[in-house]
Amino acid sequence: MARVFVALKLRLLRNRLSTGSLVSALGFLVVWLSSLAGGLVGGGLVAAVARLAPDSLAATVVLVHVAAGFLWLLIPIVLASLDDALDARSFETYPLDDRQIAGGLVIAGLAGPGAAATAVAFFYGGLLAFGSPAAVIPVLVEETVAVLLCVVVARWVTTRLSDLLRRRRGQEVAVLVVVGLASLPGILGVTVAPSFGSGVEFSAVLDRLAGVAQWTPWGALGRSVVATGTGAWGTAAAFFLYGAASAAVAFVLFSRALHRLSVVAPTAPVARVGRAGSSLLPRRLPLPRSPVGAVAAKELISMRRDVRMRSQLVGGGIAVVALGAAGGTVVLGTRYAPFLAVLTVFIVVNAVTPNQLGYEGGSFWAYLTIAPDLGSVIRGKNLAWAVVTAPLAAVTALATAAVSGEWVYVPAAVEGSVVVGLIWLGVGDITCVYGAFRLPETNLFGSRNLSGGAFVATLLGIAASGLLTAPPLLAVGVLALLAGPGWATLAATISVPYAVGVYRHMSRRAGELATRRRFRLLGVLDAG
Amino acid sequence: MTPAAVRFLGLAKRFGPTVAVEPFDIEIPVGSFFGIVGPNGAGKTTLLRMATGLLEPDAGTVEIGGHDVWSDPAAAKTRFGLVPDEPRMFERLTGAELIEFAGRLRSMDPEVVATRRDSLLRLLDLSEAADELVADYSLGMRKKAAIACALLHNPTVLFLDEPFAGIDPVARQTLEQILSRHTASGGTVVFSDHAMDVVERLCDRIMVIDHGTLLTAGETAALTGGRRLQDVFVDLVGAHITDEGDLEWLGSS
């Protein structure tokens, strides 16, 4: 049966390559090459540590195994799956039991770029570091189980998540879990970073982390490899048994998750979210009664209810807090603290706007047949973001000033926030036309079609926004440092009409471009 | 002579080497219930998408109430409503909010929007689900919500792509009544469907297309000549005769 699954997967990959465009073939090649390169880097890191810092080798091996397991969990969830050739639900009608399907999918999963990269990292690193003749075979076995563990756990989690994602409430829970997981490295970095300045040895920090990480199933297999390499056979056996048992348990859980996905119907509690007779337009917010106001109102509702948008905003919030915490010792409590408002606006505006049309997905058709023009749609979306970011900037500037007791830079900070917000919104409008890609409409984790062109357009948009924002911000910053708050405020005040001009030009141009490219946009957003 | 609600003039579309729609001219009179029928892949959806400004034709024009959809889209948009075959909607709005959103996008008077929204929700049996998210709607409910959005501004022409697929018999009857009332009061309905009995019962005019080519068009009674539309259709597009010998094994176990 495993042969059938592997052959099926290879056939599907071959058909995709032979019928797809040159760009998709190149993309496939890039994914494989970059995965293998990533594997070599991981293995190379272990080999380099073995040679240059042997004291940290054990900790590094454990942490590389945990990092690989973490990536296996996160990448298929947050990004498009590296191994989406076989869908478990395609096998529902065949006379196979859940364990046969699970086994076949795991074996087929080993024939993908992710598994190849992991195998390269583990085998290369493990054998170079601990490849004494007596240890070669045990290390090979341990690393094989480690690769299997990565594949099985990732398969189990994504299958369980698929089941969860069939319910809207489940999608919302999943988003919070994933955003939390994705934020872990950043939180860890912020937590660990202060240790380096306080005379604590780097190797001691690694040892402390590895000491905790070795109790995870992936870390246990890394620890088993280390113990094998040093001849501590008893310890190696104990950690190996723990890792292998974890893989077996994950396999059983994967089989059960498959069973649940195929035969248990999702219970879908339907919630009433609006109040009877409630209006689209918020009562306390004087939005215009035009199509622009209607789109703004709809966008404000989406920010509250759309799990994808909310996760981006939560992620942005975490970034603001993490960066604030990291830079807090430098800025907070000083007279320059109100400038954190500029950073807040930058992060919030950038969370969604560069692909704000992408959030509409297939419903984009409605704008083409109902809205008077796409310029109104884009301006409506901008208005919603302005409604959210303006008070946020003011509150941040005032709160940070209150903490430091220094109010002199509040006006410059607020005006600087306006400048950043307007320029990045305006350029984001152009970016969302050229770099639009479809986001799955009801959950964050479905497949998305981010083309190479959209990726490049987004990068160019970021570069253009940076170039347009740099002169006014540099002027404000330099004058704040050299000439004081009066001059900085003057520079910020002069920059506001410049930013208004940039915004007006860009958003008008974006409306024209969106109209001209409406069929291409419809094709991209309606795909799948 | 009855004025034309919709006029197709030399409308044509190709996708690479594949001909989706061959050039043809046709006029759909005001007040008619017009059915577009054809086998899968005949070009029905392509035709409706070109007629509503969602797909750019390679050649030809479409006029709705005398306004060219392509050179005067703003005027044309106020005159038609569209219900696609699989309506994708703004998922995170409730049904009631979705309909209000459609009205406000059209710059309609808020009070008129509220009155019509409530009446459409009631008529389409969506009042109970008015405050639930569209994301939680079934296909039938989504279709009804899309129909409400399309009817809200009282369009002169209503385009529907397979409107009866996936909706229950009660909703189907309600929809038939709404559409008949629309045409009785001077509105025009243009819809595509595979269900020949529905097309035959509702439509006073039909066109049959296959492989993008207009095979025939005209008044339903004249085209069928007393025969079933299903039989006329099969005669026009051709039937696939199965060699019984190929299926000897079927049902023999």
Side-chain angles (χ1 to χ4, degrees), chain A residues 437-506:
Chain A
F437 60 95
R438 189 184 73 88
L439 282 162
E441 279 157 55
T442 51
N443 75 67
L444 186 68
F445 312 114
S447 64
R448 57 201 68 200
N449 52 356
L450 173 60
S451 67
F455 184 64
V456 170
T458 305
L459 288 183
L460 287 175
I462 291 169
S465 303
L467 282 174
L468 289 165
T469 321
L473 281 194
L474 277 175
V476 172
V478 169
L479 288 171
L481 288 171
L482 300 179
W487 286 101
T489 306
L490 181 65
T493 308
I494 293 170
S495 302
V496 171
Y498 158 76
V500 170
V502 170
Y503 168 74
R504 289 184 65 168
H505 174 73
M506 293 287 181

Side-chain angles (χ1 to χ4, degrees), chain A residues 20-300:
Chain A
S21 64
L22 183 65
V23 174
S24 70
L26 281 174
F28 179 81
L29 197 66
V30 167
V31 166
W32 266 91
L33 289 179
S34 54
S35 299
L36 293 177
L40 284 173
V41 168
L45 174 71
V46 173
V49 170
R51 179 171 295 219
L52 302 173
D55 289 348
S56 298
L57 179 60
T60 306
V61 170
V62 171
L63 291 175
V64 163
H65 279 74
V66 173
F70 182 76
L71 287 176
W72 265 95
L73 273 181
L74 208 58
I75 288 177
I77 299 172
V78 178
L79 301 172
S81 172
L82 290 174
D83 181 32
D84 58 355
L86 297 186
D87 180 356
R89 273 171 283 197
S90 311
F91 302 99
E92 282 172 2
T93 55
Y94 295 98
L96 300 170
D97 63 38
D98 299 318
R99 290 198 180 182
Q100 281 176 307
I101 298 175
L105 289 174
V106 169
I107 299 291
L110 291 173
T118 312
V120 167
F122 287 179
F123 292 142
Y124 176 44
L127 291 176
L128 274 182
F130 305 107
S132 64
V136 167
I137 296 198
V139 166
L140 278 176
V141 172
E142 286 157 344
E143 296 294 28
T144 304
V145 174
V147 176
L148 267 173
L149 176 73
C150 288
V151 176
V152 175
V153 172
R155 275 287 189 180
W156 165 53
V157 170
T158 46
T159 307
R160 193 70 193 84
L161 209 55
S162 300
D163 182 34
L164 202 63
L165 292 176
R166 292 192 289 176
R167 297 176 290 271
R168 190 166 52 76
R169 186 60 65 194
Q171 293 169 12
E172 290 166 4
V173 171
V175 163
L176 291 177
V177 171
V178 170
V179 168
L181 273 176
S183 311
L184 266 183
I187 292 168
L188 201 64
V190 170
T191 316
V192 170
S195 313
F196 297 126
S198 56
V200 179
E201 288 279 329
F202 180 61
S203 59
V205 174
L206 279 187
D207 285 342
R208 215 181 300 160
L209 286 176
V212 177
Q214 70 180 355
W215 297 108
T216 65
W218 308 276
L221 287 165
R223 183 78 178 82
S224 160
V225 171
V226 173
T228 302
T230 52
W233 298 103
T235 308
F239 276 101
F240 175 73
L241 282 176
Y242 169 46
S246 302
V249 169
F251 181 77
V252 172
L253 291 173
F254 175 38
S255 306
R256 285 191 188 167
L258 278 178
H259 176 75
R260 190 180 159 77
L261 190 65
S262 59
V263 300
V264 180
T267 50
V270 175
R272 285 174 186 279
V273 293
R275 271 175 301 177
S278 64
S279 173
L280 181 78
L281 298 187
R283 276 186 202 154
R284 291 178 193 158
L285 197 63
L287 290 174
R289 287 190 161 195
S290 62
V292 171
V295 175
K298 182 238 156 205
E299 205 69 3
L300 288 169

Side-chain angles (χ1 to χ4, degrees), chain A residues 299 413 419 497 519:
Chain A
E299 205 69 3
V419 168
F519 302 115

Side-chain angles (χ1 to χ4, degrees), chain A residues 272-273 305 365 368 371, chain B residues 77 88 92 97 100 128 131:
Chain A
R272 285 174 186 279
V273 293
R305 293 188 198 151
W365 70 270
L368 295 185
Chain B
K77 275 185 205 179
R88 297 200 186 182
R92 300 291 153 167
E97 288 168 348
E100 186 185 342
E128 286 286 307
D131 301 317

Side-chain angles (χ1 to χ4, degrees), chain A residues 253-351:
Chain A
L253 291 173
F254 175 38
S255 306
R256 285 191 188 167
L258 278 178
H259 176 75
R260 190 180 159 77
L261 190 65
S262 59
V263 300
V264 180
T267 50
V270 175
R272 285 174 186 279
V273 293
R275 271 175 301 177
S278 64
S279 173
L280 181 78
L281 298 187
R283 276 186 202 154
R284 291 178 193 158
L285 197 63
L287 290 174
R289 287 190 161 195
S290 62
V292 171
V295 175
K298 182 238 156 205
E299 205 69 3
L300 288 169
I301 289 174
S302 295
M303 286 179 207
R304 290 203 314 270
R305 293 188 198 151
D306 190 326
V307 69
R308 306 162 307 168
M309 221 174 250
R310 217 190 310 163
S311 69
Q312 296 286 342
L313 288 172
V314 170
I318 289 173
V320 169
V321 171
L323 287 170
T329 48
V330 182
V331 179
L332 215 61
T334 73
R335 61 207 311 229
Y336 303 110
F339 285 109
L340 280 174
V342 178
L343 179 71
T344 304
V345 168
F346 168 78
I347 289 175
V348 172
V349 166
N350 271 286

